Amino acid sequence: MWQHQYTPAGGSLALSTLLAALPVAALLIVLAGLRKASWIASLAGLATAAIVAVAVYGMPVSIAASAVGYGAAQGLFPIGWVVFSAILLYNITVATGQFDIVRASVGNMTGDRRLQALLIAFAFGAFIEGAAGFGTPVAVAAAMLTGLGFQPFRAATICLLANTAPVAFGSIGTPLIMLASVTGLPLLQLSAGVGRICAPVSLFIPAYLILVMGGWKALRGVMPAAILCGVSFAGMQFLVSNYIGAELTDILASLTAIGCLVVLLRIWQPKDTFQLEGDGPAHIQSEIPIGRILAAWTPFALLVVCVLVWGLKPVQAQLGHATLKFPWPGLHRLVTRMPPVAVKPTPYDAVYNFTWLSASGTACLVAALLSALVARMKFAEFRKVLGRTIRQLVLAESTIAIVLGLAFLMNYSGATGTLGLAFAATGKLFPFFGALLGWMGVFLTGSDTSANALFGSLQAVTAQKLHLSPVLMAAANSSGGVMGKMISLQNIAVAAAATSLAAADESKLFRFTLRHSIFLASVIGVIAMVYVYAGPGPTQ
């Protein structure tokens, strides 16, 4: 059994950290510096990670290759499965003409681009995040905004920025359930801690979106809507996370925000006009019978119903019986995680769960198939849409698989553990850098759940050594992680695929979101510092 060594460079944490960071540096240089497509940058990062794993950490080649394969499989299923099903659903609505009616109904509710962004990218996207997660909200919301006439690059950036506040509670609380399992800390306390850290940020994210779209002038025109959206979402997020639990936080907070916005738009509309270069017509004037509107929204209603039903514990239990579960060959328990990353020497599990029936992507697929049936779509037409969707997503799915292969190789080689220890060595500044550790984890893995599994235990153990609250630091990991979602290459690939962006624009998308991601992650770190040294914060 091969054991992790977190300071392989002569016992020096500093030098080991520099070597461990080389794959990340290679990825950033190729993507942001050389401006290559994300799949090329991912390959560069993966090749560098393989060299570091074998040459620096002494990882056996066979185990390294198996770790890459395991990560790629995780990327294709369940993450890639969700993306494929969500884009298929959207393409069906376009092919049947339903999306034209959806676009008209939203346009008739409000023709203002700013309000459409709040409704779809932030509020509706948060609902989809809470119900399904794993890239679904970006795929659905970005495709909807593009269909409404948003310039594709703008639609992608807005949805990536909006997919922040709800991420820690996504997929019926999955990230925090994982965090509780790896740390042994109470789920409700972790939920409360994340709610107290994230709610202040959720308060201003809607206004931040509008600022990014058009600056202060644009925000002034819709200030009442931005304030109402932020207050209603953040208030409910705080209350539910603290007093009910993680599972329903996003669902109830997003429904509250949607309801408040719909009521507001019936009695108020902005007085100014707002249009951005490259966008299509902002308002679609058409009289559409209510029956046709309801029929057109049926696919998205079916999506909501399916993901909610799939999320019910009794249903999950039944569907879970069909899961194919097996140890990953050449990897399962052949690597040992060592202290201080783990509490004690622990064999590193590598069990692949092919949850083909209980996965969120299957719920999306069922919604897509039902939508085709309800719309009386001919089989030949469905087959064309299916083929077009597959061709549309080839590069995106490849990128997801490569990036997860890179992330899992860094995890199983011990390189990620080295980076975590470097953050943990920051002493009194650890609350700030602990949040950035979660941010880095999501950037590497594309998942707050994976980042919590990776660094949750390290956060809790380090917090105890520094006489800090383990609950607070574990919560900071998950909270900081949400701001890494917008720069994860998986999410960027999803956004690009949903909006049909050219591969060359992916590097531009990454560079645009990077500065916002760093800023918002730093805000999370400051909030964590305030809780630690000024209180009150969650205690353990």
Side-chain angles (χ1 to χ4, degrees):
M1 182 178 290
W2 182 70
Q3 294 183 342
H4 276 175
Q5 165 58 262
Y6 303 114
T7 54
S12 169
L13 179 59
L15 182 56
S16 299
T17 300
L18 289 176
L19 293 172
L22 285 177
V24 180
L27 190 153
L28 292 175
I29 290 170
V30 175
L31 182 64
L34 302 180
R35 304 188 179 187
K36 299 296 184 180
S38 60
W39 69 270
I40 297 176
S42 303
L43 281 176
L46 177 59
T48 308
I51 294 171
V52 170
V54 174
V56 177
Y57 284 85
M59 190 179 196
V61 174
S62 60
I63 296 180
S66 185
V68 173
Y70 183 46
Q74 294 280 5
L76 294 175
F77 195 99
I79 299 172
W81 182 232
V82 169
V83 175
F84 169 78
S85 301
I87 299 301
L88 177 63
L89 173 69
Y90 169 74
N91 286 342
I92 287 172
T93 67
V94 172
T96 56
Q98 291 171 308
F99 196 81
D100 289 336
I101 301 173
V102 169
R103 179 172 54 197
S105 67
V106 174
N108 286 336
M109 182 185 300
T110 174
D112 192 285
R113 286 280 182 250
R114 298 163 294 184
L115 298 178
Q116 290 175 351
L118 292 180
L119 270 171
I120 294 174
F122 182 81
F124 185 65
F127 181 87
I128 299 298
E129 177 67 43
F134 297 105
T136 314
V138 171
V140 173
M144 290 183 72
L145 289 185
T146 304
L148 284 168
F150 278 70
Q151 194 265 345
F153 183 83
R154 186 169 296 115
T157 57
I158 289 169
C159 290
L160 287 170
L161 289 171
N163 189 221
T164 50
V167 167
F169 300 98
S171 192
I172 320 293
T174 299
L176 292 183
I177 293 172
M178 172 62 74
L179 188 61
S181 68
V182 299
T183 61
L185 298 170
L187 177 59
L188 184 58
Q189 289 188 26
L190 291 171
S191 174
V194 172
R196 295 176 196 182
I197 295 173
C198 285
V201 180
S202 301
L203 203 61
F204 71 82
I205 286 293
Y208 191 83
L209 281 180
I210 307 304
L211 279 173
V212 172
M213 285 181 66
W216 285 104
K217 184 178 179 181
L219 177 58
R220 281 197 299 269
V222 292
M223 187 66 79
I227 292 174
L228 180 64
C229 186
V231 169
S232 59
F233 184 90
M236 188 59 68
Q237 184 183 51
F238 178 86
L239 291 173
V240 177
S241 63
N242 276 261
Y243 301 108
I244 297 178
E247 293 87 346
L248 293 176
T249 297
D250 278 349
I251 301 292
L252 296 179
S254 59
L255 287 177
T256 301
I258 291 171
C260 289
L261 285 174
V262 169
V263 171
L264 176 67
L265 294 179
R266 293 182 67 88
I267 60 176
W268 172 89
Q269 289 287 338
K271 295 179 180 179
D272 64 341
T273 57
F274 179 75
Q275 184 71 24
L276 288 169
E277 183 181 354
D279 284 351
H283 194 95
I284 302 170
Q285 296 285 354
S286 57
E287 292 295 332
I288 306 173
I290 187 66
R292 290 189 65 193
I293 293 176
L294 292 176
W297 276 95
T298 296
F300 299 103
L302 288 170
L303 173 65
V304 170
V305 170
C306 287
V307 294
L308 286 177
V309 169
W310 254 249
L312 296 174
K313 290 183 179 179
V315 175
Q316 277 281 307
Q318 290 298 318
L319 297 178
H321 292 314
T323 296
L324 301 177
K325 184 177 180 180
F326 58 90
W328 193 261
L331 184 63
H332 178 60
R333 300 180 75 85
L334 294 180
V335 176
T336 302
R337 302 178 73 200
M338 302 296 290
V341 172
V343 177
K344 60 182 180 179
T346 306
Y348 208 159
D349 290 339
V351 178
Y352 186 67
N353 292 305
F354 186 59
T355 55
W356 67 275
L357 193 54
S358 61
S360 298
T362 304
C364 294
L365 180 64
V366 170
L369 296 176
L370 290 175
S371 298
L373 289 174
V374 170
R376 298 181 181 179
M377 193 178 196
K378 294 181 179 179
F379 180 74
E381 187 179 7
F382 175 79
R383 188 172 57 189
K384 288 181 181 178
V385 172
L386 180 64
R388 186 165 63 249
T389 304
I390 293 173
R391 291 190 297 273
Q392 179 183 356
L393 293 176
V394 167
L395 280 180
E397 298 281 359
S398 300
T399 300
I400 293 170
I402 295 168
V403 171
L404 264 293
L406 161 65
F408 276 62
L409 177 58
M410 291 186 66
N411 295 352
Y412 281 88
S413 69
T416 308
T418 299
L419 295 175
L421 290 175
F423 279 95
T426 54
K428 290 186 177 181
L429 293 177
F430 179 61
F432 179 85
F433 286 101
L436 294 186
L437 179 59
W439 171 76
M440 185 187 68
V442 175
F443 164 64
L444 290 174
T445 66
S447 165
D448 202 41
T449 302
S450 298
N452 286 342
L454 192 60
F455 292 131
S457 177
L458 174 65
Q459 295 270 14
V461 170
T462 305
Q464 288 175 334
K465 291 181 178 178
L466 296 175
H467 305 291
L468 303 175
S469 164
V471 170
L472 176 57
M473 290 316 306
N477 188 83
S478 191
S479 302
V482 306
M483 300 309 172
K485 191 83 168 178
M486 70 180 80
I487 57 170
S488 70
L489 293 196
Q490 300 94 302
N491 238 24
I492 286 176
V494 169
T499 55
S500 299
L501 273 179
D505 286 333
E506 291 181 8
S507 62
K508 180 182 176 184
L509 190 59
F510 175 80
R511 294 195 307 274
F512 182 90
T513 54
L514 179 60
R515 61 180 182 271
H516 299 290
S517 179
I518 293 173
F519 168 70
L520 292 171
S522 299
V523 170
I524 292 288
V526 170
I527 293 173
M529 289 280 287
V530 170
Y531 277 132
V532 167
Y533 297 116
T539 59
Q540 172 69 8

